[in-house]
Amino acid sequence: MAFSQSQIINSNWQFRKLGDTGGWMAATVPGTVHTDLMQLGKIPDPYYRDNESKVQWVDREDWEYQSSFAASASTLQSNHVELVFEGLDTYADVYLNDTKILEANNMFRTWKVDVKQWLKAENKLYILFHSAQNRVEEMAKKDAPFVWPTIDYPRMYVRKAQYSFGWDWGPKFTTCGVWKNISLNAWNNFRVNDVHFTITSLTDKQALVKAVYQIEANAPNTATIRLKENAAIPAFSVAKTAVLKTGINEVTVDFGIINPKKWWTYQLGKPYLYNTSSAISSSTNETVSIDKKLGLRTIQLIREKDVVGEAFYFKLNGIPVYMKGADFIPCDAFLPRITKDTYRQQVANAKEANMNMLRVWGGGIYESDDLYNLCDEEGILIWQDLMFACAIYPDDDAFLKNVQAELADNITRLRNHPSLALWCGNNEIDEGWKNWGWKQKFAQHPQDEARINNAYKKLFLETIPTTIAQYDNSRAYHSSSPVFGWTNKESITNGDSHYWGLWGYEKEVEIFHEKTGRFISEYGMQSMPEMATVQKYALPEDYDITSATMRTHQKHPKGYPLLQSYLNQYMPPVKNFADYVYATQCMQHYVFNTAIQIHRSKMPTNMGTLYWQLNDCWPVASWSTVDCYNNWKAAMYGIKDAYADVLITLDSTDAKNWTINITNDMLKSIPGSIRFSVHDFSGKEIEHIDVPLTAAKQTTTIVEIGDWISKRTETNGLYAKAVFTSNKKVIAENHFTFCKPYSLKLSKSYVQIQPISSNSFAVSSSVFTKYTALDIPGRQVHFSDNYFDLLPNEKKIITITSEKPVDDLGNKIVVKTLADLIN
């Protein structure tokens, strides 16, 4: 919000280890102690080789930060002067001019302190950060022998990004520091703390909107609010005058919009945003101006009983929408390094891969406004976990009050975003308590079980929903994801599910023919990152999964054995480490592409698939499909294909009776016809059929085609092609093979590259080519498609995006295919 004076305090910072008698060192704010130490060469790059283990001492120390700043005469003369700390990580004692003004204990909160009585023309700000690792261990000792259930004890005591204590894809850097801005804000007679828009009614003809202004007054006053759309011809313009009492006032301004432009996800329409402008003037001749975006849409989570069990899907503007997306984790282990451009890249990745939803996962952070603003603009919905994951959290009143304040700060910050679809209480805690053996391990006595049950109820079924209702009653609250653990049969029929039989229990991806739930909010498959990424954190002598470096950059305790298990299931044997990296990428591509095609073919019984996970926070073997340097893995291209608005899939329950399924996410049915043909790997057509059909809107249309495959011999040398056309225009196409990749009868092929322009080329082959991987060594480029199958004698046009032009493009491209592993 706007203030009469606002000053960011991010310069002149110094830091040192508590008790260090040496001099102060230059610090960066926002920042972390790790990044400050790195910048000064005091610790090695923690992402490189096995350096993670060499910097663990940092977490155990307390750290001092200090800065000096001047306050202007007008600030000193203001009626109110406030220091605002947007992000202190995490246990911080704050002193202004040697007076303690704050003890912070929550990195997710905004801390505000009235400092007028202590402020001078020249000021010293000092912050002592206590080790969060030490603090949580001290709290655990006080609770002993009682232990809160978790997989990573005792992180649940601290309101801090839980992944900073380590995860099965992330390093352990339990950071501290000023991770967001500190500002000095001054005001005199009134200020506006918040503007909140609520849509009370929305039809095609009219929108009714309520704007609530929270105005803080120094004394009784009168305020006139003028609200309008910033446009040549405003869609709305309204004014209201209100009497203000001393303290907090809420002033409501109701207005309507005729023929409103609705906010849609980008595939279904335009994510239209009204630019609003508010001018609030007082009888004391002060004016505050505030500009905000307004998106008009309704969003509902539908959980109704049906013939299958209990549905779980979203309605946007009254329309059921199939959700295609991914789970989102923090983009860096050191949060201040995440920029708006970082978020822009990730949102662009999601949009290019045809996603319409991201799930912000509960073990990370409430992300920056930049992410939500970009999703508002681009038309991507956000499932918002609250920051609780894989642990039962404390039950004391101080903890609960801390959480309430955390929620108030973040709900009020985020609630105006039309992209925000859902508040979810936690990640996998209900499942962990009921299905992971926590009761047997942690509840040795009846009183322990009762305490744990009550703690869960108090936090997730009482405190959180009550607080959300207080600040945002326009969105659904989902207490825990998933509703049922994946081993419970009801996880397939009721609510959202996390299916980890794939990966964790070595089930084949084809199990989804039986195990597709109503809305799958987590499932995944690991791979190595690109070889170019591996080269950034490892040396050639590290290119072995048993090396210290490769063990450091694989956080799952059974990661490499599980990867090998799936390589054995789907891929041919590898000859060297580079082949291993390539094969894991191809295998992840196969798994995600296959899983999503199965999920979508079951629409509308299944209404969402969000895979684990879109991004990484550091270079690592993980479930991500975009690595930490923004390189697309092979799987991302397979996901892009599988998330197409209109998708053709092929299915059979007995390898004899086949169906072609056309899933149409769009709001209109599409009349047309489909040609289905079978070819050998030289491209020779063996047989085809043409089937007229209409792809019904927002569902899957199933066409039975009988026995096409079982009568063929050597199906490992065949592929099928399906093309759906409407009015002579290709709407969708797909192709299929009939065995796992390692069984394909692939012959060595010469892939031809034919340059078209400085950033485009054509690719072709005389034979069927599987997982054609393109690379330009030494350059980070983004290919419009990669790791694709080349159908015989068909040209595929590829464009590249690169910071600098690539000269002699045709000779720079290196090609690798699955046949290189077989032959």
Side-chain angles (χ1 to χ4, degrees):
M1 298 294 99
F3 298 87
S4 57
Q5 303 249 0
S6 185
Q7 173 185 348
I8 303 296
I9 302 173
N10 61 4
S11 58
N12 303 319
W13 283 94
Q14 299 174 308
F15 82 113
R16 68 183 180 186
K17 184 173 66 174
L18 182 65
D20 195 333
T21 56
W24 291 83
M25 301 173 286
T28 299
V29 168
T32 72
V33 65
H34 289 83
T35 49
D36 284 337
L37 290 168
M38 266 190 282
Q39 190 170 352
L40 294 169
K42 300 295 183 181
I43 61 172
D45 180 356
Y47 288 6
Y48 188 63
R49 302 192 78 194
D50 60 346
N51 285 346
E52 179 193 3
S53 62
K54 300 173 184 175
V55 301
Q56 292 304 305
W57 64 270
V58 177
D59 302 350
R60 294 290 183 176
E61 301 292 340
D62 297 338
W63 296 90
E64 301 174 285
Y65 278 72
Q66 68 174 16
S67 179
S68 59
F69 66 94
S72 66
S74 58
T75 295
L76 292 170
Q77 292 165 9
S78 297
N79 291 334
H80 301 275
V81 187
E82 194 174 60
L83 269 174
V84 179
F85 303 86
E86 296 179 21
L88 295 175
D89 182 12
T90 295
Y91 292 104
D93 298 337
V94 183
Y95 295 79
L96 176 64
N97 299 327
D98 298 321
T99 297
K100 182 186 273 192
I101 61 170
L102 173 66
E103 289 185 14
N105 62 350
N106 187 327
M107 74 175 285
F108 303 127
R109 287 179 61 179
T110 297
W111 302 90
K112 300 178 180 180
V113 184
D114 190 326
V115 295
K116 181 173 176 61
Q117 62 181 309
W118 302 295
L119 200 65
K120 305 174 183 178
E122 298 295 331
N123 301 274
K124 178 183 176 183
L125 187 60
Y126 170 87
I127 307 175
L128 172 59
F129 288 101
H130 300 278
S131 162
Q133 185 66 55
N134 293 343
R135 279 288 179 95
V136 296
E137 291 176 4
E138 291 166 6
M139 287 186 271
K141 286 179 181 178
K142 291 179 181 178
D143 259 345
F146 177 82
V147 176
W148 290 107
T150 184
I151 54 176
D152 299 297
Y153 195 69
R155 60 176 167 78
M156 75 291 296
Y157 285 99
V158 58
R159 294 311 299 143
K160 175 177 174 58
Q162 301 286 270
Y163 84 112
S164 69
F165 291 89
W167 219 266
D168 58 4
W169 38 259
K172 183 185 179 300
F173 302 127
T174 311
T175 52
C176 73
V178 182
W179 75 287
K180 291 185 179 181
N181 285 331
I182 299 174
S183 58
L184 183 68
N185 298 327
W187 59 285
N188 284 319
N189 296 307
F190 87 104
R191 65 176 176 181
V192 182
N193 293 327
D194 185 54
V195 180
H196 176 213
F197 293 111
T198 301
I199 302 163
T200 57
S201 175
L202 180 61
T203 68
D204 291 339
K205 294 182 178 180
Q206 185 181 45
L208 299 178
V209 185
K210 187 186 298 291
V212 180
Y213 295 77
Q214 188 189 87
I215 303 174
E216 187 172 356
N218 184 57
N221 205 332
T222 300
T224 299
I225 299 170
R226 293 177 175 85
L227 168 65
K228 68 175 184 176
E229 181 194 13
N230 272 335
I233 304 177
F236 54 89
S237 180
V238 62
K240 181 174 182 177
T241 299
V243 175
L244 305 179
K245 67 180 188 299
T246 302
I248 301 296
N249 301 263
E250 285 199 348
V251 180
T252 298
V253 177
D254 295 303
F255 63 99
I257 303 173
I258 303 300
N259 300 322
K261 298 176 182 178
K262 296 179 182 178
W263 186 96
W264 290 95
T265 52
Y266 66 93
Q267 292 115 328
L268 301 182
K270 184 176 180 180
Y272 191 85
L273 296 171
Y274 289 88
N275 295 307
T276 78
S277 175
S278 297
I280 304 96
S281 56
S282 72
S283 56
T284 53
N285 297 318
E286 294 173 288
T287 299
V288 174
S289 296
I290 300 168
D291 293 332
K292 276 190 173 292
K293 304 281 189 180
L294 169 62
L296 299 176
R297 63 99 186 96
T298 60
I299 189 76
Q300 300 165 276
L301 174 63
I302 307 300
R303 298 183 65 177
E304 297 173 340
K305 298 293 183 181
D306 57 22
V307 295
V308 178
E310 183 184 79
F312 190 106
Y313 65 94
F314 291 89
K315 277 187 177 180
L316 177 64
N317 297 324
I319 303 295
V321 179
Y322 189 98
M323 295 303 165
K324 303 176 290 191
D327 299 309
F328 188 88
I329 67 169
C331 296
D332 203 303
F334 304 117
L335 293 167
R337 300 202 298 198
I338 303 172
T339 65
K340 184 174 183 178
D341 191 56
T342 308
Y343 289 119
R344 184 178 287 110
Q345 289 173 347
Q346 294 300 342
V347 172
N349 289 333
K351 189 172 181 180
E352 185 181 345
N354 298 313
M355 299 181 192
N356 59 9
M357 176 173 272
L358 294 174
R359 171 181 170 237
V360 176
W361 170 74
I365 59 171
Y366 305 94
E367 298 285 351
S368 162
D369 285 306
D370 290 332
L371 174 65
Y372 305 89
N373 288 335
L374 287 163
C375 287
D376 291 345
E377 294 164 11
E378 298 298 336
I380 295 176
L381 289 164
I382 291 181
W383 166 315
Q384 180 68 55
D385 280 6
L386 304 180
M387 293 303 113
F388 304 91
C390 303
I392 302 289
Y393 287 80
D395 56 353
D396 59 280
D397 289 341
F399 184 89
L400 295 174
K401 288 179 181 177
N402 200 358
V403 169
Q404 286 177 303
E406 167 191 321
L407 294 178
D409 285 347
N410 287 284
I411 293 171
T412 54
R413 177 171 68 91
L414 299 177
R415 63 189 176 183
N416 274 333
H417 291 284
S419 58
L420 187 62
L422 175 74
W423 300 109
C424 180
N426 68 73
N427 172 75
E428 296 185 339
I429 298 178
D430 186 72
E431 178 182 2
W433 176 234
K434 293 175 180 176
N435 299 312
W436 294 356
W438 285 0
K439 287 186 180 181
Q440 295 79 4
K441 183 176 180 181
F442 297 103
Q444 299 291 330
H445 307 288
Q447 62 268 29
D448 293 342
E449 182 173 348
R451 182 182 179 186
I452 292 166
N453 275 323
N454 288 333
Y456 183 89
K457 180 181 178 183
K458 282 171 66 176
L459 182 56
F460 297 109
L461 303 182
E462 296 173 3
T463 301
I464 290 176
T466 300
T467 307
I468 290 175
Q470 180 181 354
Y471 294 101
D472 181 20
N473 60 8
S474 67
R475 294 173 181 86
Y477 170 66
H478 179 35
S479 61
S480 185
S481 179
V483 175
F484 295 101
W486 69 270
T487 57
N488 189 318
K489 65 180 182 179
E490 289 181 285
S491 70
I492 307 305
T493 60
N494 293 44
D496 74 314
S497 64
H498 294 190
Y499 187 77
W500 285 106
L502 177 70
W503 176 256
Y505 285 78
E506 302 179 55
K507 302 289 187 182
E508 294 184 345
V509 67
E510 290 79 9
I511 193 75
F512 276 124
H513 284 295
E514 306 168 23
K515 298 292 186 180
T516 294
R518 310 305 301 273
F519 190 109
I520 309 174
S521 46
E522 241 188 66
Y523 64 99
M525 177 54 59
Q526 271 202 7
S527 77
M528 293 292 292
E530 288 283 344
M531 197 66 201
T533 294
V534 174
Q535 291 167 349
K536 290 184 178 182
Y537 68 79
L539 295 173
E541 55 261 39
D542 301 322
Y543 295 171
D544 185 311
I545 60 173
T546 64
S547 71
T549 294
M550 293 304 156
R551 293 198 307 272
T552 297
H553 293 262
Q554 166 60 272
K555 291 302 181 184
H556 192 281
K558 298 193 295 180
Y560 288 129
L562 286 171
L563 267 176
Q564 190 59 52
S565 172
Y566 279 99
L567 288 176
N568 294 342
Q569 289 186 48
Y570 295 112
M571 294 292 135
V574 300
K575 307 178 186 72
N576 52 52
F577 185 77
D579 282 356
Y580 176 82
V581 169
Y582 169 80
T584 66
Q585 292 246 337
C586 294
M587 182 269 295
Q588 190 189 37
H589 179 296
Y590 177 86
V591 167
F592 276 128
N593 180 265
T594 302
I596 291 169
Q597 291 198 50
I598 295 171
H599 297 164
R600 292 191 62 203
S601 73
K602 298 182 184 298
M603 178 188 184
T605 302
N606 168 264
M607 283 298 289
T609 173
L610 310 179
Y611 70 86
W612 186 268
Q613 68 208 63
L614 176 65
N615 57 320
D616 272 327
C617 69
W618 79 315
V620 65
S622 81
W623 299 264
S624 78
T625 57
V626 180
D627 72 28
C628 73
Y629 300 117
N630 200 41
N631 296 306
W632 278 33
K633 294 183 181 180
M636 194 67 168
Y637 293 97
I639 288 163
K640 177 181 177 179
D641 292 340
Y643 277 162
D645 292 335
V646 181
L647 175 71
I648 307 172
T649 56
L650 184 65
D651 195 13
S652 174
T653 56
D654 57 8
K656 290 186 177 181
N657 295 302
W658 291 82
T659 62
I660 300 172
N661 315 309
I662 301 188
T663 302
N664 177 13
D665 289 343
M666 307 308 290
L667 301 182
K668 293 183 179 180
S669 298
I670 307 172
S673 65
I674 190 163
R675 168 162 286 201
F676 181 78
S677 54
V678 176
H679 307 253
D680 66 22
F681 279 0
S682 71
K684 178 183 176 182
E685 183 181 292
I686 297 172
E687 195 171 359
H688 78 264
I689 56 171
D690 293 298
V691 181
L693 61 85
T694 294
K697 65 179 181 180
Q698 295 188 294
T699 192
T700 298
T701 302
I702 300 175
V703 179
E704 295 183 1
I705 60 172
D707 185 359
W708 269 66
I709 307 302
S710 66
K711 59 186 177 182
R712 314 291 178 190
T713 59
E714 295 189 348
T715 55
N716 59 351
L718 300 178
Y719 69 91
K721 182 178 179 181
V723 181
F724 176 56
T725 58
S726 178
N727 295 322
K728 298 182 180 180
K729 180 182 178 182
V730 174
I731 303 299
E733 57 185 312
N734 205 350
H735 65 272
F736 316 92
T737 52
F738 303 101
C739 58
K740 295 176 181 178
Y742 76 83
S743 295
L744 294 175
K745 195 175 181 181
L746 300 171
S747 57
K748 188 76 172 178
S749 62
Y750 173 64
V751 176
Q752 294 180 308
I753 305 292
Q754 180 183 353
I756 298 173
S757 69
S758 60
N759 69 338
S760 65
F761 54 94
V763 189
S764 62
S765 174
S766 61
V767 297
F768 181 85
T769 305
K770 189 73 176 172
Y771 297 135
T772 308
L774 309 174
D775 185 30
I776 301 178
R779 295 292 300 273
Q780 183 168 359
V781 300
H782 177 66
F783 294 95
S784 60
D785 201 357
N786 209 347
Y787 289 87
F788 47 80
D789 295 348
L790 271 176
L791 303 188
N793 306 311
E794 294 187 9
K795 285 188 177 180
K796 189 175 185 68
I797 307 301
I798 304 294
T799 59
I800 66 168
T801 305
S802 177
E803 289 186 0
K804 297 180 181 178
V806 179
D807 298 326
D808 194 17
L809 186 60
N811 293 320
K812 294 287 179 65
I813 296 171
V814 175
V815 180
K816 189 168 189 168
T817 74
L818 196 67
D820 295 329
L821 271 60
I822 296 172
N823 298 291

